[in-house]
Amino acid sequence: MNYQWYPGHMTKAKRQMQEDIRLIDLVIELVDARIPQSSRNPDIDNLGKNKARLILLNKADLADEKLNRLWMEEFKGKGFHVLEVNSKSGQGLKAIQGIVREACKEKIARDRSRGIINRPIRAMVVGIPNVGKSTFINSFAGKACTKTGNKPGVTKGKQWIRLNKDLELLDTPGILWPKFEDQVVGLRLAMIGSIRDEIIDSSELALKMIGFLNKDYPLALNKRYDIMEFSDNHEALKMICLNRRCFLKGEELDLNRAAGIVIDDFRNGRLGRITIDRMDCRSEV
């Protein structure tokens, strides 16, 4: 299956971000800690060129702890400031203000040399759809500033939020890029829900998930669904179907319903802390 989604509003949003970047001191990029490389829009590096950069590994509580640390070191080695966060619980958010000041220390020093004191740092919050930007902003601000949702495309326009006298945030819509050169990236984005489910074959996606889990996290399948040995991914899905009693009329298996259960369990962390992206993200799922 070809995984691709680039609705018209994303083209408009990208143009607006290109116009707004001249007002910005810092680009705060949220990535999904389960796919920290695959959830990075390559256009962001061009957009944020010559700006201070901060990468937040959001949903870090859903990802493999060991791999969280490895990815943080990877990004730090490329010159980014990096922090693990969980926007829903607020974990890690208290450290952001200090890291922002560290990332923008040259800008702050320039302002002082010009006699400009207490001008707030302006940060653009960017990321792909459904990575948690709005939840992050609301948690960081301590109030509901933006609309949130558990599906991609909730934020459609830009919005300025003044957090305090030192920091202003520009919320932006989640944007993908026009064409995924590597369809493995598209698959991984579909797994975390950054591509609209309506255009995805849920059974195929669940089979891919089962194959990945069986290879890298086999105990997750056994613990959640009480299945251990199976000849292929289709047999595993049938076993999950039986385990969860997913039937149509009579005793016909409802594979689509079972597929939805697998996808939902992964996205909500019920299968444990899982990271799909390894340090070599070119490997197949």
Side-chain angles (χ1 to χ4, degrees):
M1 180 176 177
N2 184 52
Y3 297 92
Q4 199 69 49
W5 184 52
Y6 193 73
H9 78 269
M10 290 188 183
T11 302
K12 180 181 177 182
K14 182 180 175 181
R15 284 199 301 264
Q16 186 64 58
M17 289 164 69
Q18 289 169 333
E19 293 177 14
D20 292 333
I21 196 67
R22 60 188 175 82
L23 307 171
I24 298 302
D25 306 305
L26 169 71
V27 175
I28 299 177
E29 179 183 2
L30 271 76
V31 301
D32 190 304
R34 296 167 294 182
I35 55 168
Q37 184 60 42
S38 298
S39 59
R40 293 199 68 221
N41 184 336
D43 292 338
I44 299 301
D45 283 339
N46 289 327
L47 181 75
K49 197 177 294 182
N50 302 320
K51 301 293 181 180
R53 301 291 301 275
L54 170 58
I55 291 180
L56 300 180
L57 270 69
N58 196 30
K59 306 182 184 182
D61 59 308
L62 300 179
D64 190 312
E65 289 180 273
K66 180 181 177 181
L67 288 169
N68 281 350
R69 292 192 294 271
L70 290 175
W71 276 111
M72 286 184 69
E73 291 305 313
E74 174 78 4
F75 289 137
K76 286 177 181 177
K78 293 181 178 179
F80 296 103
H81 291 80
V82 193
L83 188 65
E84 289 182 63
V85 299
N86 175 358
S87 295
K88 281 190 175 180
S89 71
Q91 176 189 348
L93 299 188
K94 289 183 179 179
I96 291 177
Q97 196 83 32
I99 292 180
V100 166
R101 292 190 66 82
E102 173 64 23
C104 296
K105 63 183 179 182
E106 293 181 4
K107 174 261 177 193
I108 295 170
R110 282 197 306 271
D111 281 354
R112 285 177 178 168
S113 68
R114 297 169 184 167
I116 302 171
I117 301 174
N118 295 330
R119 185 175 80 81
I121 293 167
R122 288 182 166 180
M124 178 184 282
V125 181
V126 301
I128 65 169
N130 209 36
V131 79
K133 295 185 305 301
S134 296
T135 300
F136 158 69
I137 289 174
N138 291 342
S139 295
F140 194 31
K143 59 183 178 181
C145 302
T146 65
K147 186 178 180 181
T148 64
N150 61 356
K151 60 182 180 179
V154 173
T155 301
K156 290 295 199 307
K158 70 174 185 178
Q159 180 182 359
W160 280 102
I161 300 103
R162 180 151 191 170
L163 296 184
N164 51 52
K165 64 181 181 65
D166 297 320
L167 182 61
E168 294 179 354
L169 299 181
L170 176 59
D171 186 22
T172 61
I175 60 169
L176 293 169
W177 50 109
K179 184 180 180 181
F180 304 141
E181 298 298 332
D182 184 353
Q183 277 298 299
V184 172
V185 170
L187 169 60
R188 292 173 180 180
L189 293 173
M191 285 181 171
I192 66 166
S194 290
I195 297 175
R196 290 186 71 89
D197 286 330
E198 290 82 358
I199 65 171
I200 298 298
D201 183 326
S202 61
S203 293
E204 179 180 318
L205 184 61
L207 290 172
K208 292 286 189 180
M209 283 185 173
I210 289 169
F212 164 75
L213 290 166
N214 188 45
K215 178 169 66 78
D216 284 1
Y217 296 94
L219 292 179
L221 290 170
N222 176 245
K223 184 176 180 180
R224 183 67 183 170
Y225 306 118
D226 195 26
I227 62 173
M228 181 66 80
E229 296 182 6
F230 44 88
S231 59
D232 56 36
N233 299 339
H234 287 87
E235 184 184 357
L237 186 59
K238 289 179 181 178
M239 293 169 72
I240 293 169
C241 225
L242 291 167
N243 179 287
R244 288 293 187 266
R245 303 199 59 77
C246 299
F247 298 109
L248 297 169
K249 289 184 179 179
E251 292 298 307
E252 184 182 354
L253 296 178
D254 189 344
L255 294 175
N256 285 331
R257 184 180 164 200
I261 289 172
V262 173
I263 294 167
D264 191 61
D265 282 349
F266 166 74
R267 290 178 180 171
N268 289 284
R270 300 186 194 103
L271 292 167
R273 299 186 64 159
I274 291 168
T275 297
I276 301 172
D277 276 356
R278 293 334 211 207
M279 304 314 290
D280 180 1
C281 291
R282 293 170 295 181
S283 58
E284 290 286 339
V285 170

